[in-house]
Amino acid sequence: MLNRLPHILAMLTAVVVLAGCSQNQGPKTYTDEVKSNYTKTCVEGSTQKLGAAAAATYCQCSIDALSSPTGIHFDTFKSFETYLREHVGDDINNVSDLAKTGKYDAILKIFDTCAPVGPTASGASASTTVPATTTTR
């Protein structure tokens, strides 16, 4: 598995921004604003590593899979964000560390499935499909 920490941190940033902007502790579902902010922040955090086109494809794939009816419940998504905020740089320094916790395997599977396979030149296009998930909502 490639190091997905930059992608995870991009998602973390998106959720933190959303949670901080609301007095009612942030959104309760995958609103259009959540999806838009996630995608924007994810692309910004992934472009240097993946190239603009591949980053856009990866980020759209991941938010589509996360928010799909069979995807990740929003409360789990928020829990993941909180966990990262509390542990990144402490005991979570890369995806392998996060995977060892066993807490968010379904989210990591989505990130891994959406990631472009093989080297991606800057500006190159990547093809991904929304992974099927089997989580209970």
Side-chain angles (χ1 to χ4, degrees), residues 12-13 19 24 32 34 44 54 56 60-61 63 72 79-80 84 87-90 105 108 116 120 122 132 135 137:
L12 166 67
T13 302
N24 66 359
D32 289 341
V34 168
E44 289 171 359
Q60 189 62 54
C61 174
I63 193 60
I72 304 300
S79 170
F80 179 66
L84 287 177
H87 296 277
V88 165
D90 182 16
D105 292 342
L108 295 178
T120 304
S122 182
T135 59
R137 298 189 52 85

Side-chain angles (χ1 to χ4, degrees), residues 41-120:
T41 305
C42 177
V43 169
E44 289 171 359
S46 304
T47 295
Q48 184 175 356
K49 184 175 182 177
L50 299 176
T57 300
Y58 166 78
C59 296
Q60 189 62 54
C61 174
S62 60
I63 193 60
D64 287 349
L66 289 165
S67 63
S68 76
T70 59
I72 304 300
H73 192 279
F74 191 73
D75 289 342
T76 302
F77 179 78
K78 285 176 59 173
S79 170
F80 179 66
E81 177 271 324
T82 299
Y83 186 83
L84 287 177
R85 187 171 0 105
E86 293 172 354
H87 296 277
V88 165
D90 182 16
D91 54 342
I92 302 293
N93 294 300
N94 56 49
V95 171
S96 295
D97 291 344
L98 186 57
K100 289 176 190 175
T101 69
K103 292 182 179 215
Y104 301 103
D105 292 342
I107 292 174
L108 295 178
K109 180 179 178 184
I110 287 171
F111 292 157
D112 191 48
T113 303
C114 286
V117 177
T120 304

